[in-house]
Amino acid sequence: MNLDDGPLDPFHGDPDDPAALLDDGEPAQPLSDDEREDVLADLAELASFRTTLGPQGVDGITVDCGDCGEQHYFGWDLMAANLRALLGEGRTHVHEPAFAPDHDAYVSWDYARGYTDAVQALTKRG
Ligand SMILES: [Zn+2]
């Protein structure tokens, strides 16, 4: 922060400030092929979670954030958007969780996986 009488940022207050595109965290790291595979698998899993849990009144996923140590609540769409962002189709918004989420309507990824696996095992039986 420069509080001296130095030159003003020539783009100060300009919504087209090119720097505004850059000040949202570190530059994105390209994913390795393995990481891409993982994210694609997560997206597929998320879709099955939503199919299975959505009708049960579950609104999304909770994530323990390694960055800020808080728990974040992601609706299905936001979670999918974050995963797609990792693939380079946008930005992650991990610190912009759902607005006023109903905490009881969100489950952890592991819970969603266990529940979905159980339901799929039941429906495939016979
Ligand atoms: Zn966070």
Side-chain angles (χ1 to χ4, degrees), residues 65-70 72 94-95:
C65 180
D67 287 342
C68 65
E70 306 223 345
H72 293 317
V94 284
H95 302 290

Side-chain angles (χ1 to χ4, degrees), residues 76-102:
W76 301 115
D77 287 335
L78 187 58
M79 193 74 196
N82 275 315
L83 289 170
R84 281 195 290 267
L86 291 174
L87 296 172
E89 298 170 19
R91 296 177 160 277
T92 57
H93 298 283
V94 284
H95 302 290
E96 299 170 25
F99 176 71
D102 174 359

